[in-house]
Amino acid sequence: LATNILEFDATLNGTINANWAPTNASFEWGETTAYGNTITATPDVVTGPTTTPVSAVLTGLTPATTYHFRCMGTGPGGTIYGEDMTFISDCPTPYTAGPITGLQDVCVTATEVYSIDPVYLATSYTWTVPSGSTIINGSNTNSITVQYSTSAVNGNITVFASNDCGIGNSSTLPITVHQLPVATITGSTSGCQ
């Protein structure tokens, strides 16, 4: 039985009855029934006539991966193997994106940088920007550069982080886009000769 299963570690559990003969306790484990790895259990030696629980903590696992394992007891009579068991390492989605920093009141033709702190467990970032604006740098990172065109309008900048397991909650920053001032000339349209 595997317990405390997280993305990078898990605890293997089993039982061994030594039948009075000192027996070394361990687990074989791996991604197939060929196992390929062995880890010493705690306690590492079992004695006495009763069934004794043993366990071992695996670390450095790959998230969202199926692992096989079996308990193993080695004593004077040889090695006895428990039945093959499996578990799947956890695959958590990234945390929620933090607050977006950057100017909220911008003028058309401006170029601005927006960013968030790196999100735990994220492998990529997805940004959306107001209509008429374009991400010109950093589109899959936690920091982007946005160019506002003359057709840019008010809207939101939104970002969420993702990984192979899913997407985290998004963060949004409202943006107000101002048009450039238009010069107006007043006065008489007729002049003197």
Side-chain angles (χ1 to χ4, degrees):
L1 172 66
T3 57
N4 301 324
I5 301 169
L6 301 173
E7 63 267 30
F8 304 115
D9 51 72
T11 301
L12 306 182
N13 302 283
T15 58
I16 293 178
N17 187 330
N19 291 320
W20 294 105
T23 302
N24 294 318
S26 59
F27 290 90
E28 287 187 314
W29 66 279
E31 293 183 29
T32 68
T33 53
Y35 305 106
N37 304 289
T38 303
I39 187 170
T40 301
T42 301
D44 59 342
V45 177
V46 176
T47 59
T50 60
T51 299
T52 303
V54 296
S55 65
V57 177
L58 300 181
T59 59
L61 302 177
T62 302
T65 301
T66 299
Y67 288 95
H68 292 259
F69 71 98
R70 64 183 176 182
C71 190
M72 194 167 73
T74 303
T79 300
I80 296 184
Y81 299 95
E83 66 181 270
D84 177 69
M85 303 188 84
T86 61
F87 69 92
I88 300 173
S89 52
D90 194 17
C91 192
T93 57
Y95 285 20
T96 298
I100 300 171
T101 59
L103 282 179
Q104 288 184 263
D105 284 298
V106 298
C107 292
V108 294
T109 72
T111 300
E112 301 294 338
V113 174
Y114 298 92
S115 63
I116 60 171
D117 288 338
V119 177
Y120 181 63
L121 299 175
T123 56
S124 64
Y125 298 85
T126 302
W127 294 83
T128 57
V129 294
S131 178
S133 56
T134 305
I135 298 171
I136 60 173
N137 192 22
S139 61
N140 195 29
T141 69
N142 65 313
S143 181
I144 60 170
T145 303
V146 177
Q147 173 70 57
Y148 292 93
S149 72
T150 55
S151 63
V153 296
N154 296 345
N156 292 323
I157 292 181
T158 303
V159 62
F160 63 82
S162 60
N163 62 20
D164 290 340
C165 303
I167 61 173
N169 294 325
S170 63
S171 183
T172 300
L173 182 70
I175 302 295
T176 303
V177 179
H178 301 280
Q179 295 296 318
L180 296 176
V182 176
T184 304
I185 301 173
T186 59
S188 174
T189 57
S190 60
C192 299
Q193 283 189 337

